[in-house]
């Protein structure tokens, strides 16, 4: 998992384990007993619990929350900058760094938006194709049903003619 998702997976596994064992952890009264619980209980998890944890890790998307925390951090930093006696150059440097970080986030979000729009367009095209295919299939079904009823009528007419020619009762179809 580390090769697939990078070192961020360690943080995700820790969050998942702590979250799934939160009620048990909160029962402990001090840090020492919590650490003992983590040392002794968590390594002895069963196969089912490990699979559940791994599935949670794969589904977890902490990048958005971390970006939100980063923005909040930068806002708090700006407030500290405004309240602390810094030189104009220092303030300008910090503001430029913050601006650069926000631009990067903006570009990342724009890229995600473009990917999402591409997916939406491809899904809309697929829906159009499926609707056209459904319409064609409905028309073909109607045509086949009409052809079937015409063929049944022809068979009945032929059976009547055959019965009349042979002097027999026609067989019901």
């Amino acid at each position: 998992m580390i090769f697939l998702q990078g070192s961020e997976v360690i943080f995700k596994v820790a969050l998942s384990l702590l979250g799934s064992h939160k009620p048990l952890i909160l029962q402990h009264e001090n840090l020492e007993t919590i650490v003992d619980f983590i040392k002794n209980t968590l390594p002895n998890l069963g196969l089912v619990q490990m699979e559940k944890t791994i599935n949670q890790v794969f589904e977890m998307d902490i990048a958005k929350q971390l970006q939100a925390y980063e923005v909040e951090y930068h806002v708090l930093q700006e407030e500290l900058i405004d309240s602390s006696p810094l030189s104009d150059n220092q303030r300008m440097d910090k503001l430029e760094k913050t601006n650069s970080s926000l631009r990067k986030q903006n570009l990342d979000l724009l890229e995600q938006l473009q990917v999402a729009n591409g997916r939406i367009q491809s899904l809309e095209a697929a829906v159009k194709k499926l609707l056209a295919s459904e319409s064609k299939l409905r028309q073909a079904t109607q045509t086949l049903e009409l052809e079937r009823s015409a063929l049944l009528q022809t068979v009945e007419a032929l059976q009547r003619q055959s019965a009349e020619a042979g002097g027999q009762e026609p067989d019901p179809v």
Side-chain angles (χ1 to χ4, degrees), residues 89-129:
N89 287 339
Q90 288 174 329
R91 276 193 209 152
M92 187 63 93
D93 288 343
K94 289 190 178 195
L95 288 174
E96 285 176 359
K97 287 179 184 177
T98 303
N99 190 23
S100 173
S101 173
L102 290 173
R103 282 186 180 170
K104 182 183 178 291
Q105 288 177 3
N106 193 12
L107 290 174
D108 290 344
L109 290 172
L110 182 62
E111 183 178 320
Q112 290 174 3
L113 180 63
Q114 289 172 344
V115 168
N117 282 335
R119 286 181 183 162
I120 288 171
Q121 289 175 354
S122 71
L123 289 173
E124 286 175 346
V127 166
K128 285 181 182 177
K129 285 181 182 178

Side-chain angles (χ1 to χ4, degrees), residues 9 25 44 72 100 146:
V9 77
I25 292 172
N44 297 325
E72 184 179 343
S100 173
L146 290 173

Side-chain angles (χ1 to χ4, degrees), residues 68-98:
Y69 288 146
E70 183 180 4
V71 169
E72 184 179 343
Y73 171 78
H74 288 300
V75 168
L76 291 173
Q77 286 296 323
E78 287 177 16
E79 290 175 4
L80 287 174
I81 289 172
D82 292 339
S83 66
S84 65
L86 294 176
S87 70
D88 288 340
N89 287 339
Q90 288 174 329
R91 276 193 209 152
M92 187 63 93
D93 288 343
K94 289 190 178 195
L95 288 174
E96 285 176 359
K97 287 179 184 177
T98 303

Side-chain angles (χ1 to χ4, degrees), residues 1 4 15 22 25 31 35-36 45 48 53 60 80 87 108 126 129 132 135 137 145 151-152 154 163 165 169 172-173:
M1 288 175 61
L4 181 64
L15 283 176
K22 181 179 179 179
I25 292 172
L31 184 62
V35 170
D36 285 339
L45 292 178
V48 173
T53 301
M60 196 180 291
L80 287 174
S87 70
D108 290 344
K129 285 181 182 178
S135 175
L137 288 173
E145 286 175 355
L151 287 173
L152 284 174
T154 304
E169 286 287 321
V173 177

